[in-house]
């Protein structure tokens, strides 16, 4: 079975089709037939795509988008940590674990995260984005440390470290009276 003509030469526009379409309908504003028929721009250069400088600029912009993405989740993590309470419950413990594990995994995978945006000309600009990414991940870990401190899990008193020190006396006690 022979291949239809329209399938084999779909990129070519016959002059009869162009003449019929221009006779029936006017061209839309800013439409240029030369670009379609000759694949040339208005300056006479062939359409090849972005220049290497433009491609590097796009790579750096994308790397900065990835580097700043942890800043979008940082306020949510802080608010959820605050509202989950300071008691030792499964929800607050799981949340605190996630505040440490996810940033640690992200810091360990900084290289593979940014590898597709690196080149010789963009190395220094990508390095800055990597450092910002790591700083934001460390800020998330700092929220986790704050959460552990508010739950009373961190050893912050002398009696937590030294065996011969007495514990800090409890100032109030809650007693159930029926």
């Amino acid at each position: 079975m022979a291949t239809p003509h329209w399938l084999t030469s779909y990129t070519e526009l016959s002059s009869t089709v162009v003449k019929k379409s221009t006779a029936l309908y006017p061209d839309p504003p800013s439409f240029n037939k030369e670009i379609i028929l000759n694949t040339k721009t208005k300056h006479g250069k062939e359409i090849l795509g972005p220049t290497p400088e433009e491609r590097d600029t796009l790579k750096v912009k994308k790397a900065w988008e990835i580097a700043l993405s942890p800043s979008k989740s940082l306020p949510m993590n802080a608010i959820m940590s605050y509202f989950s309470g300071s008691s030792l419950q499964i929800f607050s413990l799981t949340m605190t674990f996630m505040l440490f594990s996810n940033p640690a995994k992200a810091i360990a995978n900084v290289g593979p995260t940014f590898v597709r945006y690196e080149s010789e000309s963009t190395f220094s600009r990508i390095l800055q984005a990597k450092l910002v990414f790591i700083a934001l991940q460390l800020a998330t870990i700092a929220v986790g440390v704050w959460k552990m401190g508010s739950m009373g899990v961190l050893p912050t008193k002398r009696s937590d470290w030294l065996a011969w020190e007495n514990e800090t006396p409890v100032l109030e006690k809650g007693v159930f009276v029926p």
Side-chain angles (χ1 to χ4, degrees):
M1 180 171 176
T3 307
H5 174 69
W6 59 269
L7 182 62
T8 57
S9 61
Y10 65 91
T11 57
E12 299 174 9
L13 294 174
S14 67
S15 60
T16 58
V17 172
V18 172
K19 287 179 184 175
K20 285 181 184 177
S21 67
T22 55
L24 296 175
Y25 305 106
D27 290 335
S30 73
F31 177 76
N32 190 355
K33 279 186 224 169
E34 292 178 8
I35 292 175
I36 293 175
L37 295 175
N38 299 328
T39 64
K40 304 255 183 195
T41 63
K42 54 185 164 181
H43 298 294
K45 297 179 183 176
E46 288 188 22
I47 300 171
L48 298 175
T51 63
E53 294 84 19
E54 292 172 340
R55 187 172 289 126
D56 288 344
T57 304
L58 291 173
K59 285 181 180 181
V60 170
K61 282 183 182 180
K62 186 64 178 172
W64 274 105
E65 286 178 17
I66 291 173
L68 294 176
S69 64
S71 68
K72 296 173 185 171
S73 65
L74 193 59
M76 180 202 57
N77 286 331
I79 289 170
M80 285 185 66
S81 295
Y82 177 75
F83 282 114
S84 67
S86 61
S87 62
L88 294 173
Q89 298 174 6
I90 190 69
F91 179 73
S92 58
L93 289 174
T94 304
M95 171 127 187
T96 306
F97 174 74
M98 296 307 261
L99 286 172
F100 286 104
S101 65
N102 290 342
K105 289 177 192 174
I107 290 172
N109 291 326
V110 166
T113 302
F114 289 95
V115 73
R116 62 182 143 168
Y117 307 113
E118 289 181 350
S119 65
E120 292 178 9
S121 60
T122 63
F123 179 75
S124 64
R125 294 185 286 175
I126 299 292
L127 182 62
Q128 292 171 354
K130 284 181 182 181
L131 292 175
V132 169
F133 181 77
I134 291 171
L136 289 171
Q137 296 295 346
L138 291 175
T140 305
I141 290 175
V143 170
V145 169
W146 167 77
K147 178 66 178 171
M148 288 182 68
S150 70
M151 288 191 305
V153 179
L154 289 179
T156 56
K157 299 179 180 68
R158 283 181 59 149
S159 61
D160 294 333
W161 294 95
L162 302 173
W164 59 85
E165 286 287 326
N166 293 331
E167 290 185 30
T168 307
V170 179
L171 298 177
E172 38 178 273
K173 293 182 182 180
V175 179
F176 176 72
V177 178

